[in-house]
Amino acid sequence: MTSKNNLEQMPMKVTCHVKYIIDPDMLSEFEHYAKLWIPLVEKFGGQHHGYFLPGEGANDVAIALFSFPSLADYEVYRHESAQDVDCLSAFYYAKKHKFILRYERSFMRPVLE
């Protein structure tokens, strides 16, 4: 895992964009799930940019954005999170409540300067 001080010095090179289609009647459950994942991504060396929940417009679309220094670092996060007790608990919460109908994951390169 990467310490917060080291993370601040490393440029984030890949951003994961996750578009969720959610059950609009379970928005509070999805928000709880989102709040679980923000510190978990950071625990594994990522920088979470937040979840964006429905406001105006479509009421069943939510977005998450988080970055890692490289795609390789993201893959380490994916592997390690699949074995982490807190991450498994968050996965179980989503599976139990079934508020995520589907999702799409894309990887992007941020332009920050």
Side-chain angles (χ1 to χ4, degrees), residues 6-104:
N6 289 341
L7 182 61
E8 290 170 0
Q9 296 170 6
M10 289 189 298
M12 295 292 149
K13 305 255 183 183
V14 64
T15 297
C16 184
H17 170 276
V18 186
K19 177 182 176 183
Y20 296 94
I21 304 302
I22 61 172
D23 180 338
D25 293 327
M26 300 188 81
L27 187 57
S28 63
E29 288 85 355
F30 183 82
E31 185 169 353
H32 175 76
Y33 174 79
K35 289 178 180 178
L36 293 173
W37 273 105
I38 292 171
L40 292 174
V41 166
E42 293 173 355
K43 174 180 175 179
F44 290 96
Q47 179 182 3
H48 211 295
H49 307 294
Y51 280 80
F52 302 86
L53 305 181
E56 295 296 319
N59 68 350
D60 64 345
V61 176
I63 303 290
L65 294 168
F66 54 94
S67 298
F68 280 88
S70 70
L71 194 53
D73 290 316
Y74 170 80
E75 291 298 332
V76 169
Y77 150 75
R78 292 277 295 167
H79 175 74
E80 292 181 359
S81 67
Q83 301 169 21
D84 180 80
V85 173
D86 294 329
C87 294
L88 292 173
S89 178
F91 287 134
Y92 175 76
Y93 179 81
K95 187 174 182 175
K96 177 182 174 186
H97 293 286
K98 301 180 185 201
F99 45 80
I100 299 172
L101 305 178
R102 68 180 181 278
Y103 67 93
E104 301 169 6

